[in-house]
Amino acid sequence: MVLKDPDFIAQIERWGARFLPEQKLSDYTSLGVGGPADLIVLDRLDALEPVVEGLRGRGIPWGLLGGGTNLLPVDEPFRKVFLQLAPGASDLVFEGSTVHVAAAAPLGRSVMECAKRNLGGMEGLVGVPGSVGGALRMNAGAYGTQIGPLVRSVTVFRGSTGERQELSAGAIGFQYRKSSFAPDDIMLRVTLELIERPFREILDHVKALNEKRRHSQPLKEKSAGCIFKNPPGLSTGRMIDELGMKGHRVGGAVISERHANFIVNRDGGTASDIFRLMDTIRERIYRAHGIELEEEVIVWRN
Ligand code: EPU
């Protein structure tokens, strides 16, 4: 346990947050891996400032745990406290074709809520797991849609200064699977500008994309989505597949037979199994193509 001060723990609860000591991060990641860590769940957003201030004052390092769907934390215990924002009841507020969404809101549900109000443009993102904030940080994308171009502004808590700031889209650098947010920036709300489109049309598009995804990705298994980025103009999945590596296994970590850029966790695999399998993939791709693959998944190394 990193946080041991009983007075501070009691204070945290009064601010509207919950202290959950020594949680297994494997219970919080879609890959089902990750060692123990202390967690503070913020049920109220205004608890953020005093909690961070309190941690800082005590010299306790902290980080942010989002939806855990693109995350690979090591198996060893973490020497920091992770904050998690609880999704609220009223996550979406509509104003014409503009929508204000809480960063902790689940992405897929938000896409569908917008669709019900005849607002589209995010269809490609519907099957991307995780929170809206996580999608922003990674500039999540699929089937020709990326979230970045839909963003008008983002309200962010700057971990470095302890202050909230509203950033306009132009001030945020969105690139392929990358944004300019600092690791200790916590996104609170995002304003998106969507496209007016009839619900039926959006729904048909979503259904078609879901069908495509079901066939080409191992959706029923534990994974973190694509494990490596695509090099410009190339598909990492296809390159790994062409090397005949589907089904290749290290411990419980297996290269999916459905999509070779997915590592799935079968039979209680660990983060170290996944790291070893990633190293093997990296080596094979380097030998075959002279390309150094870049991780797409966010690795937490303690
Ligand atoms: N392919 C193979 N074998 C495989 C996988 C793919 O031959 O095992 C071929 C496909 O047949 C296709 C091409 O490679 O011709 C591209 O495959 P796919 O359409 O699945 O796209 P991708 O480039 O592998 C990207 C994103 C996915 C996103 C899909 C759909 C990255 C790293 N991956 O995958 O995003 O869902 O496009 O738009 O950018 C993620 O970010 O976690 C993710 C899964």
Side-chain angles (χ1 to χ4, degrees), residues 48-50 52-53 56 62 156-165 184-185:
L48 186 57
E49 279 83 357
V52 167
E53 193 52 46
R56 205 197 305 271
W62 59 271
V156 63
F157 170 83
R158 297 282 202 198
S160 52
T161 60
E163 280 166 13
R164 294 185 188 209
Q165 259 186 335
D184 60 356
D185 282 344

Side-chain angles (χ1 to χ4, degrees), residues 121-255:
M122 292 203 284
E123 291 85 330
L125 297 171
V126 79
V128 176
S131 63
V132 171
L136 282 176
R137 179 172 285 281
M138 290 306 293
N139 188 16
Y143 303 112
T145 309
Q146 292 190 83
I147 196 163
L150 304 168
V151 173
R152 224 201 219 184
S153 63
V154 177
T155 308
V156 63
F157 170 83
R158 297 282 202 198
S160 52
T161 60
E163 280 166 13
R164 294 185 188 209
Q165 259 186 335
E166 184 164 348
L167 303 175
S168 64
I172 309 163
F174 287 111
Q175 292 172 45
Y176 166 62
R177 295 296 192 277
K178 201 170 148 185
S179 68
S180 58
F181 294 108
D184 60 356
D185 282 344
I186 300 181
M187 274 145 269
L188 303 176
R189 286 195 88 69
V190 54
T191 301
L192 301 169
E193 186 62 48
L194 301 179
I195 300 158
E196 289 180 25
R197 194 171 281 164
F199 175 60
R200 250 315 353 134
E201 214 176 276
I202 301 174
L203 197 62
D204 287 348
H205 194 187
V206 161
K207 278 187 184 158
L209 293 179
N210 277 346
E211 189 59 21
K212 218 170 171 179
R213 197 186 281 276
R214 254 196 305 278
H215 278 104
S216 59
Q217 298 184 358
L219 303 184
K220 292 202 175 127
E221 294 195 84
K222 289 183 183 167
S223 85
C226 285
I227 212 92
F228 295 108
K229 291 183 182 176
N230 284 339
L234 295 169
S235 161
T236 301
R238 177 183 289 152
M239 290 192 290
I240 301 171
D241 191 359
E242 283 170 357
L243 290 172
M245 294 187 79
K246 281 185 170 171
H248 191 91
R249 171 188 274 264
V250 174
V254 184
I255 298 179

Side-chain angles (χ1 to χ4, degrees), residues 51-126:
V51 166
V52 167
E53 193 52 46
L55 291 171
R56 205 197 305 271
R58 286 165 181 77
I60 299 170
W62 59 271
L64 179 76
L65 173 65
T69 55
N70 193 39
L71 192 61
L72 172 50
V74 294
D75 300 311
E76 291 72 33
F78 280 86
R79 292 184 294 271
K80 51 165 92 159
V81 172
F82 289 103
L83 308 182
Q84 196 175 39
L85 309 180
S90 55
D91 286 342
L92 291 103
V93 177
F94 292 90
E95 247 179 83
S97 58
T98 301
V99 55
H100 309 278
V101 195
L107 179 64
R109 204 186 70 202
S110 305
V111 174
M112 291 318 292
E113 287 297 318
C114 294
K116 283 185 205 156
R117 284 166 178 82
N118 301 309
L119 292 175
M122 292 203 284
E123 291 85 330
L125 297 171
V126 79

